[in-house]
Short mmCIF file of all heavy atoms in Angstrom, two decimals:
data_model
loop_
_atom_site.label_atom_id
_atom_site.label_comp_id
_atom_site.label_asym_id
_atom_site.label_seq_id
_atom_site.Cartn_x
_atom_site.Cartn_y
_atom_site.Cartn_z
N HIS A 341 2.76 2.03 0.45
CA HIS A 341 1.35 1.60 0.41
C HIS A 341 1.06 1.06 -0.98
O HIS A 341 0.66 1.79 -1.88
CB HIS A 341 0.43 2.78 0.76
CG HIS A 341 -1.01 2.42 0.94
ND1 HIS A 341 -1.87 3.14 1.74
CD2 HIS A 341 -1.76 1.41 0.41
CE1 HIS A 341 -3.08 2.61 1.70
NE2 HIS A 341 -3.05 1.56 0.87
N GLU A 496 -13.75 -1.00 5.15
CA GLU A 496 -13.44 -0.31 6.40
C GLU A 496 -14.68 -0.07 7.27
O GLU A 496 -14.68 -0.43 8.46
CB GLU A 496 -12.74 1.03 6.11
CG GLU A 496 -12.27 1.71 7.40
CD GLU A 496 -11.57 3.03 7.17
OE1 GLU A 496 -11.52 3.53 6.02
OE2 GLU A 496 -11.08 3.60 8.18
N ALA A 520 -2.24 0.21 9.72
CA ALA A 520 -3.66 -0.10 9.45
C ALA A 520 -4.24 0.95 8.52
O ALA A 520 -3.94 2.14 8.65
CB ALA A 520 -4.45 -0.11 10.76
N HIS A 521 -5.09 0.49 7.59
CA HIS A 521 -5.90 1.42 6.81
C HIS A 521 -6.90 2.06 7.78
O HIS A 521 -7.58 1.34 8.53
CB HIS A 521 -6.68 0.69 5.72
CG HIS A 521 -5.86 0.28 4.53
ND1 HIS A 521 -4.72 -0.47 4.63
CD2 HIS A 521 -6.04 0.55 3.20
CE1 HIS A 521 -4.24 -0.66 3.41
NE2 HIS A 521 -5.01 -0.06 2.52
N ALA A 522 -6.96 3.37 7.78
CA ALA A 522 -7.91 4.06 8.65
C ALA A 522 -8.19 5.44 8.10
O ALA A 522 -7.29 6.14 7.64
CB ALA A 522 -7.35 4.18 10.07
N GLY A 523 -9.47 5.82 8.12
CA GLY A 523 -9.84 7.15 7.64
C GLY A 523 -9.84 7.28 6.13
O GLY A 523 -9.73 8.39 5.62
N GLU A 524 -9.97 6.14 5.43
CA GLU A 524 -10.16 6.21 3.97
C GLU A 524 -11.65 6.50 3.74
O GLU A 524 -12.00 7.53 3.18
CB GLU A 524 -9.73 4.88 3.32
CG GLU A 524 -9.88 4.86 1.80
CD GLU A 524 -9.51 3.50 1.18
OE1 GLU A 524 -9.53 2.48 1.90
OE2 GLU A 524 -9.25 3.48 -0.05
N GLU A 525 -12.51 5.59 4.19
CA GLU A 525 -13.96 5.85 4.20
C GLU A 525 -14.48 5.96 5.63
O GLU A 525 -15.52 6.54 5.89
CB GLU A 525 -14.72 4.73 3.49
CG GLU A 525 -14.53 4.75 1.98
CD GLU A 525 -15.45 3.76 1.26
OE1 GLU A 525 -16.00 2.85 1.92
OE2 GLU A 525 -15.59 3.91 0.03
N GLY A 526 -13.73 5.39 6.56
CA GLY A 526 -14.16 5.37 7.97
C GLY A 526 -13.91 6.73 8.63
O GLY A 526 -13.11 7.54 8.16
N PRO A 527 -14.58 6.96 9.77
CA PRO A 527 -14.51 8.25 10.47
C PRO A 527 -13.18 8.46 11.21
O PRO A 527 -12.42 7.51 11.41
CB PRO A 527 -15.67 8.14 11.48
CG PRO A 527 -15.76 6.67 11.76
CD PRO A 527 -15.43 5.98 10.47
N PRO A 528 -12.93 9.70 11.64
CA PRO A 528 -11.69 9.99 12.39
C PRO A 528 -11.51 9.08 13.60
O PRO A 528 -10.38 8.75 13.96
CB PRO A 528 -11.87 11.45 12.82
CG PRO A 528 -12.83 12.03 11.85
CD PRO A 528 -13.73 10.92 11.40
N VAL A 531 -9.25 6.23 13.09
CA VAL A 531 -7.82 6.58 13.12
C VAL A 531 -7.34 6.59 14.56
O VAL A 531 -6.29 6.03 14.90
CB VAL A 531 -7.56 7.94 12.44
CG1 VAL A 531 -6.08 8.31 12.52
CG2 VAL A 531 -8.03 7.91 10.98
N VAL A 543 -0.27 5.30 9.54
CA VAL A 543 -1.68 5.29 9.15
C VAL A 543 -1.75 5.14 7.64
O VAL A 543 -1.16 5.97 6.91
CB VAL A 543 -2.40 6.59 9.56
CG1 VAL A 543 -3.85 6.58 9.09
CG2 VAL A 543 -2.33 6.81 11.07
N ASP A 544 -2.45 4.14 7.14
CA ASP A 544 -2.64 4.01 5.71
C ASP A 544 -3.88 4.81 5.28
O ASP A 544 -4.97 4.60 5.82
CB ASP A 544 -2.73 2.53 5.33
CG ASP A 544 -1.40 1.82 5.62
OD1 ASP A 544 -0.35 2.42 5.27
OD2 ASP A 544 -1.40 0.73 6.22
N HIS A 545 -3.68 5.73 4.38
CA HIS A 545 -4.64 6.77 3.95
C HIS A 545 -4.71 7.86 5.02
O HIS A 545 -3.92 8.77 5.02
CB HIS A 545 -6.04 6.21 3.63
CG HIS A 545 -6.07 5.28 2.47
ND1 HIS A 545 -5.75 5.68 1.19
CD2 HIS A 545 -6.37 3.96 2.38
CE1 HIS A 545 -5.88 4.64 0.37
NE2 HIS A 545 -6.23 3.59 1.07
N GLY A 546 -5.72 7.79 5.91
CA GLY A 546 -5.83 8.80 6.98
C GLY A 546 -6.54 10.07 6.56
O GLY A 546 -6.62 11.02 7.36
N ASN A 547 -7.09 10.11 5.34
CA ASN A 547 -7.69 11.36 4.84
C ASN A 547 -8.70 11.98 5.81
O ASN A 547 -8.69 13.19 6.02
CB ASN A 547 -8.41 11.12 3.50
CG ASN A 547 -7.47 10.62 2.42
OD1 ASN A 547 -6.71 9.68 2.63
ND2 ASN A 547 -7.50 11.26 1.27
N ARG A 548 -9.56 11.14 6.39
CA ARG A 548 -10.65 11.71 7.18
C ARG A 548 -10.19 12.20 8.55
O ARG A 548 -10.97 12.85 9.26
CB ARG A 548 -11.82 10.71 7.29
CG ARG A 548 -12.55 10.55 5.95
CD ARG A 548 -13.90 9.89 6.11
NE ARG A 548 -14.77 10.64 7.01
CZ ARG A 548 -15.89 10.16 7.53
NH1 ARG A 548 -16.27 8.92 7.25
NH2 ARG A 548 -16.64 10.90 8.32
N ALA A 549 -8.92 11.97 8.89
CA ALA A 549 -8.38 12.58 10.12
C ALA A 549 -8.47 14.10 10.04
O ALA A 549 -8.57 14.78 11.07
CB ALA A 549 -6.94 12.14 10.33
N LEU A 550 -8.47 14.63 8.81
CA LEU A 550 -8.49 16.09 8.63
C LEU A 550 -9.78 16.72 9.17
O LEU A 550 -9.84 17.92 9.38
CB LEU A 550 -8.32 16.45 7.15
CG LEU A 550 -6.96 16.09 6.55
CD1 LEU A 550 -6.92 16.49 5.08
CD2 LEU A 550 -5.82 16.77 7.31
N GLU A 551 -10.81 15.90 9.38
CA GLU A 551 -12.08 16.43 9.92
C GLU A 551 -11.98 16.73 11.41
O GLU A 551 -12.90 17.31 11.99
CB GLU A 551 -13.21 15.40 9.71
CG GLU A 551 -13.48 15.13 8.24
CD GLU A 551 -14.40 13.91 8.04
OE1 GLU A 551 -15.11 13.51 9.00
OE2 GLU A 551 -14.38 13.35 6.93
N ASP A 552 -10.87 16.32 12.05
CA ASP A 552 -10.75 16.41 13.50
C ASP A 552 -9.45 17.14 13.87
O ASP A 552 -8.38 16.53 13.89
CB ASP A 552 -10.76 14.97 14.05
CG ASP A 552 -10.70 14.92 15.56
OD1 ASP A 552 -10.20 15.88 16.19
OD2 ASP A 552 -11.15 13.90 16.12
N LEU A 555 -7.07 15.65 16.40
CA LEU A 555 -6.40 14.47 15.87
C LEU A 555 -5.25 14.87 14.93
O LEU A 555 -4.16 14.28 14.98
CB LEU A 555 -7.42 13.58 15.15
CG LEU A 555 -6.91 12.30 14.50
CD1 LEU A 555 -6.22 11.39 15.52
CD2 LEU A 555 -8.08 11.55 13.83
N VAL A 556 -5.50 15.88 14.12
CA VAL A 556 -4.45 16.38 13.22
C VAL A 556 -3.25 16.85 14.04
O VAL A 556 -2.09 16.51 13.73
CB VAL A 556 -4.98 17.53 12.33
CG1 VAL A 556 -3.83 18.24 11.61
CG2 VAL A 556 -6.00 17.00 11.32
N LEU A 559 -1.36 13.82 15.30
CA LEU A 559 -0.61 13.12 14.24
C LEU A 559 0.65 13.91 13.87
O LEU A 559 1.72 13.34 13.65
CB LEU A 559 -1.50 12.93 13.00
CG LEU A 559 -2.67 11.95 13.17
CD1 LEU A 559 -3.65 12.09 12.01
CD2 LEU A 559 -2.17 10.52 13.28
N LEU A 566 1.57 9.23 7.21
CA LEU A 566 0.33 8.89 6.50
C LEU A 566 0.72 8.40 5.11
O LEU A 566 1.45 9.10 4.39
CB LEU A 566 -0.59 10.10 6.35
CG LEU A 566 -0.99 10.89 7.58
CD1 LEU A 566 -2.02 11.96 7.19
CD2 LEU A 566 -1.59 9.99 8.65
N THR A 567 0.25 7.23 4.73
CA THR A 567 0.54 6.74 3.38
C THR A 567 -0.65 7.08 2.48
O THR A 567 -1.64 6.35 2.41
CB THR A 567 0.82 5.23 3.38
OG1 THR A 567 -0.35 4.53 3.80
CG2 THR A 567 2.00 4.88 4.29
N VAL A 568 -0.54 8.21 1.82
CA VAL A 568 -1.65 8.78 1.04
C VAL A 568 -1.56 8.28 -0.40
O VAL A 568 -0.46 8.08 -0.93
CB VAL A 568 -1.57 10.33 1.11
CG1 VAL A 568 -2.71 10.97 0.34
CG2 VAL A 568 -1.57 10.79 2.57
N CYS A 569 -2.73 8.07 -1.01
CA CYS A 569 -2.79 7.47 -2.35
C CYS A 569 -3.73 8.29 -3.24
O CYS A 569 -4.93 7.99 -3.34
CB CYS A 569 -3.29 6.03 -2.23
SG CYS A 569 -2.32 5.01 -1.08
N PRO A 570 -3.20 9.33 -3.90
CA PRO A 570 -4.07 10.28 -4.60
C PRO A 570 -4.95 9.68 -5.70
O PRO A 570 -6.16 9.95 -5.74
CB PRO A 570 -3.08 11.30 -5.18
CG PRO A 570 -1.90 11.24 -4.25
CD PRO A 570 -1.80 9.79 -3.85
N LEU A 571 -4.39 8.87 -6.59
CA LEU A 571 -5.22 8.33 -7.68
C LEU A 571 -6.24 7.33 -7.15
O LEU A 571 -7.36 7.24 -7.67
CB LEU A 571 -4.35 7.70 -8.77
CG LEU A 571 -3.54 8.70 -9.62
CD1 LEU A 571 -2.59 7.96 -10.56
CD2 LEU A 571 -4.47 9.62 -10.42
N SER A 572 -5.89 6.59 -6.11
CA SER A 572 -6.86 5.72 -5.45
C SER A 572 -8.00 6.56 -4.89
O SER A 572 -9.18 6.24 -5.07
CB SER A 572 -6.17 4.95 -4.33
OG SER A 572 -7.10 4.34 -3.46
N ASN A 573 -7.66 7.64 -4.20
CA ASN A 573 -8.68 8.52 -3.62
C ASN A 573 -9.62 9.06 -4.69
O ASN A 573 -10.83 9.17 -4.48
CB ASN A 573 -8.03 9.71 -2.89
CG ASN A 573 -7.25 9.32 -1.65
OD1 ASN A 573 -6.39 10.07 -1.20
ND2 ASN A 573 -7.54 8.17 -1.08
N LEU A 574 -9.05 9.38 -5.85
CA LEU A 574 -9.87 9.89 -6.95
C LEU A 574 -10.79 8.78 -7.47
O LEU A 574 -12.00 8.97 -7.59
CB LEU A 574 -8.97 10.42 -8.07
CG LEU A 574 -9.71 10.99 -9.27
CD1 LEU A 574 -10.49 12.25 -8.89
CD2 LEU A 574 -8.74 11.29 -10.43
N CYS A 577 -13.58 7.77 -5.21
CA CYS A 577 -14.45 8.89 -4.83
C CYS A 577 -14.28 9.34 -3.39
O CYS A 577 -15.22 9.84 -2.76
CB CYS A 577 -15.91 8.58 -5.15
SG CYS A 577 -16.17 8.11 -6.87
N VAL A 578 -13.07 9.16 -2.85
CA VAL A 578 -12.72 9.73 -1.54
C VAL A 578 -12.54 11.25 -1.72
O VAL A 578 -12.80 12.03 -0.81
CB VAL A 578 -11.45 9.06 -0.98
CG1 VAL A 578 -10.89 9.79 0.23
CG2 VAL A 578 -11.75 7.60 -0.64
N VAL A 579 -12.09 11.65 -2.91
CA VAL A 579 -12.10 13.08 -3.30
C VAL A 579 -12.91 13.18 -4.60
O VAL A 579 -12.96 12.23 -5.38
CB VAL A 579 -10.68 13.66 -3.51
CG1 VAL A 579 -9.89 13.64 -2.21
CG2 VAL A 579 -9.93 12.94 -4.62
N ASP A 580 -13.54 14.36 -4.83
CA ASP A 580 -14.37 14.54 -6.03
C ASP A 580 -13.53 14.82 -7.26
O ASP A 580 -13.91 14.49 -8.38
CB ASP A 580 -15.33 15.72 -5.82
CG ASP A 580 -16.36 15.41 -4.74
OD1 ASP A 580 -16.69 14.21 -4.57
OD2 ASP A 580 -16.83 16.35 -4.07
N ALA A 581 -12.39 15.48 -7.05
CA ALA A 581 -11.51 15.85 -8.17
C ALA A 581 -10.10 15.93 -7.62
O ALA A 581 -9.91 16.20 -6.43
CB ALA A 581 -11.92 17.20 -8.74
N ILE A 582 -9.12 15.70 -8.48
CA ILE A 582 -7.74 15.71 -7.98
C ILE A 582 -7.36 17.11 -7.47
O ILE A 582 -6.58 17.24 -6.53
CB ILE A 582 -6.75 15.16 -9.04
CG1 ILE A 582 -5.52 14.54 -8.36
CG2 ILE A 582 -6.34 16.19 -10.06
CD1 ILE A 582 -5.73 13.27 -7.62
N ASP A 584 -9.07 18.85 -5.67
CA ASP A 584 -9.53 18.94 -4.27
C ASP A 584 -8.71 18.08 -3.33
O ASP A 584 -9.04 17.97 -2.14
CB ASP A 584 -11.00 18.45 -4.16
CG ASP A 584 -11.95 19.28 -4.98
OD1 ASP A 584 -11.62 20.46 -5.23
OD2 ASP A 584 -12.99 18.75 -5.40
N HIS A 585 -7.67 17.41 -3.87
CA HIS A 585 -6.95 16.48 -3.00
C HIS A 585 -6.25 17.21 -1.86
O HIS A 585 -5.62 18.26 -2.08
CB HIS A 585 -5.94 15.62 -3.79
CG HIS A 585 -5.52 14.43 -2.99
ND1 HIS A 585 -4.57 14.52 -2.00
CD2 HIS A 585 -6.00 13.17 -2.95
CE1 HIS A 585 -4.48 13.34 -1.40
NE2 HIS A 585 -5.32 12.50 -1.96
N PRO A 586 -6.34 16.68 -0.63
CA PRO A 586 -5.80 17.41 0.54
C PRO A 586 -4.29 17.27 0.76
O PRO A 586 -3.80 17.72 1.81
CB PRO A 586 -6.58 16.80 1.70
CG PRO A 586 -6.84 15.40 1.28
CD PRO A 586 -7.07 15.46 -0.22
N ILE A 587 -3.55 16.68 -0.16
CA ILE A 587 -2.12 16.44 0.11
C ILE A 587 -1.37 17.73 0.47
O ILE A 587 -0.53 17.73 1.38
CB ILE A 587 -1.45 15.69 -1.09
CG1 ILE A 587 -0.05 15.23 -0.74
CG2 ILE A 587 -1.45 16.52 -2.35
CD1 ILE A 587 0.01 14.06 0.19
N ARG A 589 -2.63 20.43 1.79
CA ARG A 589 -3.08 20.84 3.13
C ARG A 589 -2.40 19.99 4.20
O ARG A 589 -1.98 20.50 5.24
CB ARG A 589 -4.61 20.68 3.21
CG ARG A 589 -5.27 21.38 4.38
CD ARG A 589 -6.65 21.91 4.03
NE ARG A 589 -7.55 20.89 3.54
CZ ARG A 589 -8.37 20.16 4.32
NH1 ARG A 589 -8.39 20.34 5.62
NH2 ARG A 589 -9.18 19.27 3.79
N MET A 590 -2.29 18.71 3.95
CA MET A 590 -1.63 17.82 4.92
C MET A 590 -0.21 18.29 5.20
O MET A 590 0.22 18.36 6.36
CB MET A 590 -1.60 16.38 4.38
CG MET A 590 -2.96 15.70 4.38
SD MET A 590 -2.88 14.14 3.47
CE MET A 590 -4.40 13.33 4.02
N LEU A 593 -0.12 21.44 7.24
CA LEU A 593 -0.48 21.17 8.64
C LEU A 593 0.66 20.48 9.40
O LEU A 593 0.54 20.18 10.59
CB LEU A 593 -1.74 20.30 8.70
CG LEU A 593 -3.05 21.00 8.33
CD1 LEU A 593 -4.15 19.98 8.05
CD2 LEU A 593 -3.48 21.97 9.43
N LEU A 595 1.86 17.45 8.68
CA LEU A 595 1.71 15.99 8.73
C LEU A 595 2.79 15.34 7.86
O LEU A 595 3.16 15.87 6.81
CB LEU A 595 0.32 15.59 8.22
CG LEU A 595 -0.84 16.05 9.11
CD1 LEU A 595 -2.17 15.86 8.40
CD2 LEU A 595 -0.82 15.30 10.44
N ALA A 597 3.14 13.27 5.43
CA ALA A 597 2.42 12.58 4.36
C ALA A 597 3.40 12.02 3.34
O ALA A 597 4.48 12.58 3.12
CB ALA A 597 1.46 13.55 3.68
N THR A 598 3.00 10.91 2.74
CA THR A 598 3.76 10.31 1.65
C THR A 598 2.80 10.05 0.49
O THR A 598 1.58 10.06 0.69
CB THR A 598 4.40 8.97 2.09
OG1 THR A 598 3.34 8.05 2.43
CG2 THR A 598 5.32 9.14 3.29
N ASP A 602 -1.16 2.42 -4.01
CA ASP A 602 -2.27 1.60 -3.49
C ASP A 602 -2.49 0.35 -4.36
O ASP A 602 -1.98 -0.72 -4.02
CB ASP A 602 -3.55 2.42 -3.35
CG ASP A 602 -4.51 1.89 -2.30
OD1 ASP A 602 -4.18 0.91 -1.62
OD2 ASP A 602 -5.60 2.46 -2.15
#
Side-chain angles (χ1 to χ4, degrees):
H341 188 153
E496 186 180 6
H521 284 54
E524 181 183 21
E525 288 188 343
V531 178
V543 177
D544 295 316
H545 296 296
N547 300 49
R548 289 196 58 194
L550 294 180
E551 297 168 20
D552 182 335
L555 179 58
V556 168
L559 292 167
L566 306 186
T567 64
V568 181
C569 305
L571 289 173
S572 166
N573 293 159
L574 181 66
C577 306
V578 169
V579 297
D580 293 331
I582 207 71
D584 299 334
H585 197 280
I587 189 74
R589 194 146 56 90
M590 288 170 164
L593 288 164
L595 294 169
T598 62
D602 206 3

